[in-house]
Amino acid sequence: MIQLEGINKIYGNRESQVQALKDVSLKILEGEMLSIIGKSGSGKSTLLNILGGLDKCTSGKYTFDSSEVSAFSDRQLADFRCEKIGFVVQNFALINDVSVFENVALPLKYAGKSKQDISKRVREVLSELDILDKESVCPSELSGGQCQRTAIARAIVCKPKLILADEPTGALDEETGTIIMELFKKLNKDGITIVIVTHDMEISNSCNKTIQMKDGRLV
Amino acid sequence: MKKINISILSYGIKRLLKKDFNITLVLIFQCVLSFFLLAITFNNTYAAITTNGEFKEFIGDKLYYTVQDLADEDGGFDQYMDSNAKFEDLKDFVESLEQNEQFSYVNTMLQSLYIIDTALPAKFAEGYEQGENALSIIREEDGKKLLSFKGLQVSYNVFEEFGKELETGEYFSKDDFIYDETKPIQVILGNEYKAFYNLGDIIAANDSRYDINIQVKGFLPKDSYMPVKGSIVYLDRYIVYPYYSGYSNMGDDKHLRIARFTLAGRANGEIITSDSHLNVQNLIDALSEQYNTFKFKVYSIDSSGINAISQMSEKMANQFLMLALALMFFTVFGISATVVGRIRTQSYEYGVNLISGATLSDIVVQAVGAISCLVLIALAISEFATLIVIGSFGVYLLLTPLLAIITIVISSLIPISSILKMDVNTLIRRKE
Ligand SMILES: Nc1ncnc2c1ncn2[C@@H]1O[C@H](COP(=O)(O)OP(=O)(O)O)[C@@H](O)[C@H]1O
Ligand SMILES: [Mg+2]
């Protein structure tokens, strides 16, 4: 499904350059649950951002289902993020002063869905994740676990093929973390490809494939 | 190319404007206030700026002179009144003055007119501004009440010379300067008369000798004025009527006498030129010699009031511009700063939008949309308020939309650049 060939990413200007990714080549198959481990600063998030079309690689080729994402325009990247990718990050990336419903509805709005479709689909996803009763509550009043469920709900609301999770349990206690991991496993079973960045060996062990990064390279 | 997604646009705009809604209200208020003040100031100076344009060009730094005949000194005037030949000579002389290319020659004369049995308010009456109980200046004749109203007689070329235009109606034709008993006398009324008469109205009047009918041929714009013998007369409450240059019925003895009187009056007009006193006197001497008519003395008159008026319009225009720039600056600055501030505090939220399928240009559109909304609301309010205060449609209504567009464009620049500078992938990693 995904093929990265010789991906390089350089941040910064001439004076202070950081090469965050060095010649990364990688294949991800449909239905895989892949974990990426590595020290802080090794380039995990950068790789995830490039996979998710949030950032462009400096050189290299990125293909997703036979489209060349590395050649996409900003608009195409935005549509790609909207249609194919669900993001889950450590600090949840929720808008704290609008309701859970509004947070989850945002990608559908960008996808140009009608009001009825939006409200139907959001409720569907919220009940799937067991937080339908919280739909009109703001994230600032929710527990960490509930926040991450909301974030996952938003990630899957457009039925993405790929979920990119950047340390999704990093801000949660162990018990809640386990529950969230169970959720990811369930989503993976339903056919969504998942890439998880983590420090936690237990989490990486529960994935069906693990890659390790060091200084911007795969090892 | 995806077409603009209205629901996300309105959502983004609401997010930008609703945060600290009080500040948004203050910005709208500030914007309304500057548009409103600018429209009002503009409206007040616009007339002056536009009508003064040509006037000023003409007046420039010119000098004013009056011409006075010396006919009485040697009994020449009585001879003139009895002689057709001398009448024709003087007529040629006056025409040569009017057609002269070296200076402008005009006749203006403050001359009140009586209106019969009228209920016009006292402000139009002669002497009103001097604090006299103007409406008490009444003559009773054959049971008719005659009230004296402010009037200004002008020769044909006056409006052209001073670059004056009408608000409605038409300027006098050449025929209007030929007195004809059978027709009403055409008059042009000052702007305040608009509330009392319409174009074409015929009004019973009296020129202090005979009953006449006057007919409204046009109205002057508000704040019109005219240089009259070296000073400025504001015409809003004046009746402007022709300084006759001929009579239709010259066979009639009465009319012949009036014609001769009038012509003598027309020979005592005003000269506007950059020439020196001495040169003008020499020129007039030469002409009076050439046409074999009276001697004339040229007097220089103080026209500092007139020059002050033309300088004033320039000053007003400059002040208007300064005020406009200052107000625009504060408004644009206020909007820019606030929107940029909000974009900064909302940058995390924009990161969330980006992972949900937004592009940076979507966010730019939302920011410009929010600014446009704010400015357009202010525009609507200020247009409405100005219309109520000024009470009539005018060019000022076009000024504010123009200012609004400029405001939107300039206020958007910094917010747009601050959005485009946002570092996409660091936004969502940042802790809130
Ligand atoms: N936006 C950025 N600008 C400059 N340098 C960056 C940026 N993002 C990440 N980096 C650098 O790239 C390297 C990899 O960072 P990152 O991908 O966040 O690592 P990880 O997620 O593994 O901790 C680090 O040295 C980091 O400082
Ligand atoms: Mg990271």
Side-chain angles (χ1 to χ4, degrees):
Chain A
M1 180 170 80
I2 289 172
Q3 185 156 15
L4 299 180
E5 293 166 68
I7 299 288
N8 287 293
K9 177 67 189 180
I10 300 172
Y11 284 116
N13 45 24
R14 277 213 183 127
E15 293 104 61
S16 62
Q17 283 190 347
V18 182
Q19 184 158 9
L21 293 179
K22 294 167 190 161
D23 194 28
V24 172
S25 296
L26 174 67
K27 259 188 191 163
I28 302 172
L29 302 176
E30 188 141 13
E32 262 184 351
M33 184 149 170
L34 173 73
S35 69
I36 305 175
I37 56 171
K39 274 195 210 145
S40 173
S42 57
K44 306 182 297 292
S45 300
T46 306
L47 179 60
L48 219 55
N49 286 340
I50 287 173
L51 281 172
L54 260 187
D55 207 352
K56 284 177 168 173
C57 54
T58 313
S59 64
K61 192 174 174 192
Y62 169 17
T63 32
F64 187 108
D65 281 348
S66 77
S67 4
E68 195 184 330
V69 179
S70 45
F72 277 0
S73 68
D74 284 354
R75 179 79 264 169
Q76 284 173 313
L77 278 177
D79 292 344
F80 170 72
R81 293 198 292 273
C82 191
E83 290 162 15
K84 302 273 165 58
I85 312 290
F87 288 93
V88 179
V89 298
Q90 182 174 3
N91 58 25
F92 320 128
L94 296 174
I95 303 169
N96 271 331
D97 57 346
V98 305
S99 67
V100 163
F101 181 96
E102 286 292 336
N103 267 288
V104 176
L106 195 59
L108 293 170
K109 282 186 178 165
Y110 275 105
K113 295 280 187 289
S114 76
K115 251 197 163 127
Q116 294 96 304
D117 287 355
I118 291 176
S119 117
K120 188 166 155 262
R121 175 67 185 147
V122 171
R123 298 226 158 79
E124 205 173 281
V125 176
L126 289 181
S127 66
E128 193 180 327
L129 290 170
D130 243 1
I131 42 170
L132 187 55
D133 56 328
K134 297 281 185 279
E135 65 169 338
S136 51
V137 177
C138 288
S140 51
E141 291 160 40
L142 295 179
S143 71
Q146 289 164 330
C147 281
Q148 201 55 298
R149 277 164 196 272
T150 306
I152 292 169
R154 183 189 56 208
I156 63 171
V157 77
C158 284
K159 302 183 178 158
K161 292 190 73 174
L162 174 64
I163 287 182
L164 301 170
D166 196 346
E167 304 190 27
T169 58
L172 304 174
D173 59 62
E174 213 182 304
E175 197 181 334
T176 323
T178 314
I179 296 171
I180 293 295
M181 274 316 293
E182 287 308 315
L183 258 174
F184 278 118
K185 277 184 198 158
K186 183 174 163 286
L187 293 171
N188 181 240
K189 231 176 239 154
D190 294 345
I192 304 178
T193 310
I194 297 180
V195 178
I196 297 180
V197 166
T198 183
H199 287 305
D200 190 331
M201 286 315 284
E202 209 167 310
I203 289 176
S204 78
N205 287 339
S206 68
C207 294
N208 44 40
K209 194 171 158 190
T210 298
I211 56 173
Q212 195 180 347
M213 291 197 72
K214 197 182 172 202
D215 295 336
R217 289 181 204 277
L218 294 184
V219 289
Chain B
M1 191 64 205
K2 219 169 171 177
K3 78 177 211 283
I4 288 183
N5 181 336
I6 300 294
S7 79
I8 201 72
L9 177 62
S10 68
Y11 171 80
I13 291 174
K14 267 187 231 150
R15 291 294 295 164
L16 264 175
L17 294 183
K18 267 193 173 166
K19 213 164 256 182
D20 298 323
F21 192 60
N22 290 338
I23 293 178
T24 304
L25 286 182
V26 169
L27 280 179
I28 291 178
F29 178 74
Q30 185 186 353
C31 212
V32 168
L33 194 71
S34 40
F35 287 161
F36 175 76
L37 284 179
L38 285 170
I40 297 282
T41 329
F42 177 78
N43 187 57
N44 289 345
T45 48
Y46 176 77
I49 292 166
T50 51
T51 59
N52 279 1
E54 281 175 73
F55 176 65
K56 205 189 135 224
E57 211 157 88
F58 166 72
I59 296 291
D61 296 318
K62 291 201 174 108
L63 300 165
Y64 273 68
Y65 302 98
T66 54
V67 180
Q68 278 173 31
D69 67 63
L70 304 170
D72 278 337
E73 282 181 9
D74 49 4
F77 194 73
D78 293 335
Q79 284 173 34
Y80 159 78
M81 286 301 283
D82 290 336
S83 159
N84 259 340
K86 286 206 184 304
F87 176 76
E88 291 301 327
D89 287 342
L90 188 63
K91 205 163 135 188
D92 292 343
F93 172 74
V94 170
E95 274 164 15
S96 79
L97 292 179
E98 282 177 350
Q99 282 149 24
N100 196 292
E101 306 265 300
Q102 282 163 278
F103 51 71
S104 300
Y105 183 82
V106 296
N107 282 109
T108 53
M109 179 138 83
L110 293 172
Q111 179 72 61
S112 57
L113 263 183
Y114 292 100
I115 297 183
I116 298 170
D117 291 338
T118 181
L120 282 172
K123 65 179 181 180
F124 296 109
E126 181 72 32
Y128 176 76
E129 282 77 10
Q130 286 71 48
E132 292 169 34
N133 184 3
L135 284 175
S136 70
I137 309 171
I138 293 180
R139 254 169 57 190
E140 295 258 9
E141 263 173 33
D142 314 328
K144 290 180 290 193
K145 270 188 195 162
L146 273 60
L147 292 168
S148 173
F149 289 91
K150 295 186 278 277
L152 174 71
Q153 269 186 295
V154 296
S155 56
Y156 179 73
N157 57 345
V158 165
F159 271 54
E160 198 184 326
E161 292 287 2
F162 295 137
K164 292 288 165 185
E165 272 162 21
L166 298 187
E167 183 173 287
T168 50
E170 275 172 52
Y171 184 58
F172 303 124
S173 69
K174 274 219 148 105
D175 281 351
D176 294 333
F177 289 81
I178 310 289
Y179 179 69
D180 182 345
E181 272 186 313
T182 64
K183 291 185 197 151
I185 291 164
Q186 301 301 307
V187 298
I188 287 168
L189 298 180
N191 200 268
E192 290 183 27
Y193 271 109
K194 270 198 314 191
F196 301 94
Y197 294 118
N198 294 314
L199 286 179
D201 280 359
I202 293 180
I203 308 156
N206 182 292
D207 69 356
S208 83
R209 289 171 296 225
Y210 311 106
D211 281 354
I212 52 173
N213 281 323
I214 60 177
Q215 183 170 32
V216 183
K217 188 158 191 178
F219 286 99
L220 289 163
K222 204 170 163 295
D223 298 327
S224 290
Y225 53 80
M226 192 75 85
V228 177
K229 304 208 193 300
S231 50
I232 285 292
V233 175
Y234 280 88
L235 297 175
D236 283 351
R237 297 169 178 176
Y238 270 79
I239 301 170
V240 179
Y241 61 110
Y243 203 118
Y244 309 114
S245 60
Y247 287 76
S248 62
N249 185 7
M250 296 285 278
D252 176 292
D253 202 47
K254 178 181 90 184
H255 281 130
L256 192 57
R257 277 192 73 74
I258 295 172
R260 287 174 177 165
F261 261 119
T262 316
L263 183 64
R266 284 178 58 218
N268 289 264
E270 296 148 60
I271 287 175
I272 301 129
T273 175
S274 341
D275 248 358
S276 73
H277 192 171
L278 189 65
N279 284 350
V280 176
Q281 181 69 64
N282 290 341
L283 220 100
I284 295 292
D285 286 345
L287 285 172
S288 77
E289 191 118 339
Q290 184 188 338
Y291 291 101
N292 189 30
T293 183
F294 320 123
K295 288 260 173 290
F296 288 88
K297 186 157 174 50
V298 174
Y299 294 92
S300 175
I301 53 179
D302 174 21
S303 58
S304 49
I306 294 173
N307 289 325
I309 260 258
S310 68
Q311 279 155 18
M312 200 165 81
S313 70
E314 198 171 322
K315 216 167 117 193
M316 281 199 297
N318 285 340
Q319 281 173 349
F320 169 73
L321 198 69
M322 297 295 284
L323 181 74
L325 289 178
L327 277 173
M328 290 282 285
F329 174 80
F330 283 115
T331 311
V332 165
F333 180 80
I335 295 173
S336 279
T338 311
V339 173
V340 167
R342 284 180 192 186
I343 288 168
R344 294 249 163 88
T345 55
Q346 246 165 260
S347 63
Y348 183 81
E349 178 170 341
Y350 286 130
V352 174
N353 277 263
L354 290 167
I355 62 171
S356 303
T359 57
L360 285 179
S361 43
D362 286 330
I363 293 165
V364 165
V365 170
Q366 290 171 18
V368 174
I371 292 172
S372 307
C373 254
L374 192 149
V375 173
L376 293 179
I377 290 170
L379 173 68
I381 298 173
S382 86
E383 290 279 72
F384 187 68
T386 339
L387 194 56
I388 286 178
V389 169
I390 292 175
S392 66
F393 291 89
V395 193
Y396 68 89
L397 286 173
L398 299 176
L399 173 81
T400 23
L402 196 76
L403 291 177
I405 292 170
I406 297 172
T407 309
I408 291 172
V409 171
I410 300 179
S411 330
S412 298
L413 296 178
I414 300 175
I416 288 175
S417 87
S418 88
I419 290 170
L420 295 181
K421 264 192 268 172
M422 288 198 302
D423 188 355
V424 186
N425 67 84
T426 52
L427 291 177
I428 46 162
R429 283 199 232 168
R430 208 193 69 198
K431 282 273 180 194
E432 253 184 303

